[in-house]
Amino acid sequence: PMYLGGDWSEATSGGWFEVVDPATLQIIGEVPQGGTEEARQAVEAAATAFPGWASLSGRERSRYLLQISEKMRRATDEIASQITAEAGKPLKQARDEARSASAYMGWYGEEAKRLYGQYIPSAQRDKRVMVIRKPVGVVAAITPWNFPLGLLVRKVAAALAAGCTVVCKPAPETPLVALLFARLCQEAGLPAGVLNVITGDAEAIGQVWLSDSRVRALSFTGSNEVGKILARKAADRLLRVSLELGGSAPYIVFDDAGLDAAIAGLFKSKIRNAGQVCAAPNRIYVQSGLYENFLAALKKMVQSVKIGNGFHPESQMGPLINEAGYRKVESMVGEVKEQGAQIFEGGTLVGEPDDHQGWFYLPQIVTGLSENSQLVQQEAFGPVFPVLPFKDEKEVVERANRSPYGLGAYVFTRNVNRTFRLAEQLEVGILGINDPLPAAIEAPFGGIKESGYGRESGAAGLNDFVEERTVSIQLMDDLSE
Ligand code: ADP
C-alpha cells in the first residue's frame, strides 16, 4: 500500500500495478494505482502537517532526520536487496546507494540546525534590516528509477530539513524501495503527513500537484521531455520548479593524462548502473597522441566486465531497466552503424540463463562517429562508449560546449593551468577533474542550459525549499543617544 497521512492505504480505484525485476522479468510486487484522488489526499495530509512541522526548531527537526538516517543505516541490507530486485543494479552498488542515502539524511539532519538568515547593515541610521528563511510549504517530489532511493532522499531530506512537508511519487519501475523508505520514516516517529508517498498515474498525480495552490514547490528528476512539460504547466501559477534533467556529458582525456586513471574512471562512471546515470560520460574525447593506446586499454576494460543478475556475486553490471530503455540504446547504436561507425562489443555474462531473461545490454565501444550523430549529442543511458579523437584544447572545449545540455563533464589531465582554464570554460553544473565521481553530499549538484535548474545537495540544496523574507525595522528611538 501507499503511505498517506501516516497510514497505509490502497487506491480508491482498487487498481494495482506490477513491479518487475528487470533481470529475471519476474513480478516481484504490486503497488496501488493511485491517481487524482490520492494526489489530493496527499496534499491535504501534507498541508495539515505543515504548520506543526514548520514550527519545530531546527534542532527538533534534526532529531527526526538523524533518527531516520540511523534506521536507514541499520536497514542497509534490506534496502540494497530491494534496490537490486527492482532496479537491477549489482548488490554492491545498491549498498553504496543505500549507505549514501542514509548519509544524506544525516547530513541534512545536521544542516536543519543551520538555516541561517542575514542581518544587513541598513543605509538608514534608524533602521535595522534582517532576512529570515522560511520553508516554502508543501513540496512535491517526482523521481526516476535509476537511483530509486538516492534521488528521492536528496529531495526529501533537504525539504524536511527546511521545514517543508512532502508529497512524492516514485517512478513506476521502482516504487518498492520508496515505500520501504516511508516505512522507516514512520518507524522513526516522523509525524503523520510530513512525508507522503503515493504510486500510480504519473500524469494525473502531476496535474493535481501542479494545480493545487497549497503545493509551493515541485522538485523533479527525470527526462528533459517531461521536465519541460512540467515547467510549462507550472508557469500557469508561477509554481517554483527545480529540474534535474539529462545531459550529454563530455569525458575529455588529454595526452598528458594518466591512462590507467582515465580508463578506471570510465569503469566507475559508465559501467556503474549500466550507464543509466544522468551525469554519466556520454561522449569520450581523446587527444590524438593518446588515442590508439586509449582505445586498446578501453577494449581490455570493456572485455573484462562481468554482466549478470545483480544478486550474482560476480556481477559488475546488471540489465537495463526495461525494453524501452534497451530499444533506445539499440536504435541509437544501430543508426550510427548504418552511417559507417565501428562497434566493438565486450563483456561476459555470468550466472544461469534464467537469470538473464531481462534486458541485458553488452557494453560497446563505438568509433568512426560523426560529431552530429544522435549517439554523441543525446543521452544514450546505456553502457555505450562513443570515442572521438581531438587535436587541441580550444577545439575540444568548443565541441564540448556546443551541446544544448550542461550537466556533467570530466577532464583527465596533469596540467594544472589547463585544470583552471577548463574549470572556468566548460559550460556545466558539475565537473570532475581526474575524478570520475564528482557528485558529493556536501556540494551542490545540478545542471545548466537544457539540463535544468535548481541545485540539490550541500547547503545550496536548501535554497529550493525556502523563501527569503526581508524584515525592515524602523526604530522609534535614536539608539545613539
Ligand atoms: P524516464 O524516461 O527516465 O523514465 P521520466 O521523465 O519519464 O523519465 O520519468 C521520471 C518521473 O516522472 C517518473 O516518476 C515518472 O512516472 C514521472 N512522469 C512521467 N511523465 C509524467 C507527467 N506527465 N507528469 C508527471 N510526472 C511524470
Side-chain angles (χ1 to χ4, degrees), residues 210-228:
L210 284 160
S211 51
D212 190 317
S213 62
R214 293 169 299 177
V215 174
R216 304 298 284 275
L218 170 69
S219 179
F220 172 80
T221 302
S223 62
N224 296 69
E225 193 190 349
V226 174
K228 285 179 186 175

Side-chain angles (χ1 to χ4, degrees), residues 22 69 168-169 204 215 272 298 314 386 443-444 459 463:
S69 165
C168 48
K169 193 204 78 62
V215 174
R272 174 175 176 240
L298 184 61
E314 282 177 51
N463 295 341

Side-chain angles (χ1 to χ4, degrees), residues 3 6 53 64-65 68 160 184-195:
Y3 187 58
W53 182 250
Y64 285 106
L65 269 65
I68 296 169
L160 295 186
L184 297 172
C185 291
Q186 184 189 33
E187 285 173 9
L190 191 70
V194 171
L195 172 73

Side-chain angles (χ1 to χ4, degrees), residues 142-145 169-173 202-203 206 220-223 226 229-230 233 381:
I142 298 180
T143 54
W145 46 262
K169 193 204 78 62
E173 293 84 355
E203 210 176 321
F220 172 80
T221 302
S223 62
V226 174
I229 294 175
L230 297 177
K233 290 186 179 168
F381 237 57

Side-chain angles (χ1 to χ4, degrees), residues 244-470:
E244 205 269 272
L245 311 176
S248 174
Y251 191 96
I252 306 171
V253 184
F254 285 92
D255 282 347
D256 65 10
L259 180 61
D260 292 349
I263 297 291
L266 276 174
F267 184 89
K268 288 187 188 147
S269 58
K270 188 76 181 172
I271 293 299
R272 174 175 176 240
N273 213 17
Q276 305 168 113
V277 182
C278 53
N282 198 57
R283 38 193 177 128
I284 301 157
Y285 295 111
V286 184
Q287 202 165 13
S288 7
L290 194 65
Y291 187 76
E292 292 306 327
N293 285 344
F294 180 90
L295 264 189
L298 184 61
K299 283 182 180 169
K300 246 183 165 169
M301 184 277 266
V302 160
Q303 252 161 348
S304 77
V305 179
K306 297 202 170 67
I307 298 134
N309 188 307
F311 288 108
H312 191 287
E314 282 177 51
S315 171
Q316 296 172 312
M317 193 182 100
L320 297 183
I321 190 72
N322 54 26
E323 179 170 6
Y326 183 96
R327 298 282 174 228
K328 179 183 164 190
V329 187
E330 186 185 53
S331 101
M332 284 171 97
V333 173
E335 188 185 312
V336 291
K337 202 171 167 186
E338 260 176 37
Q339 294 162 355
Q342 292 87 51
I343 318 287
F344 173 88
E345 192 168 88
T348 328
L349 280 170
V350 293
E352 302 304 316
D354 271 1
D355 285 345
H356 300 141
Q357 302 301 310
W359 301 101
F360 287 91
Y361 197 99
L362 296 180
Q364 291 172 325
I365 300 170
V366 187
T367 53
L369 281 159
S370 129
E371 184 78 19
N372 297 326
S373 61
Q374 267 233 38
L375 190 69
V376 176
Q377 295 302 324
Q378 300 296 327
E379 187 171 71
F381 237 57
V384 177
F385 300 78
V387 185
L388 302 111
F390 73 91
K391 284 208 186 65
D392 61 46
E393 181 182 317
K394 192 162 172 280
E395 168 212 333
V396 79
V397 169
E398 192 277 321
R399 285 163 71 183
N401 285 345
R402 217 183 290 162
S403 169
Y405 305 110
L407 182 55
Y410 305 83
V411 172
F412 282 75
T413 181
R414 287 195 173 108
N415 179 327
V416 73
N417 294 316
R418 174 178 285 148
T419 293
F420 280 92
R421 277 196 301 272
L422 293 195
E424 288 164 25
Q425 288 170 6
L426 286 172
E427 296 170 356
V428 292
I430 184 157
L431 172 62
I433 306 257
N434 300 318
D435 181 358
L437 299 173
I441 297 174
E442 61 278 11
F445 182 91
I448 62 170
K449 303 203 278 188
E450 290 191 33
S451 290
Y453 39 76
R455 289 292 177 270
E456 300 189 292
S457 306
L462 292 171
N463 295 341
D464 289 344
F465 305 122
V466 296
E467 55 202 21
E468 294 197 326
R469 180 174 305 162
T470 298

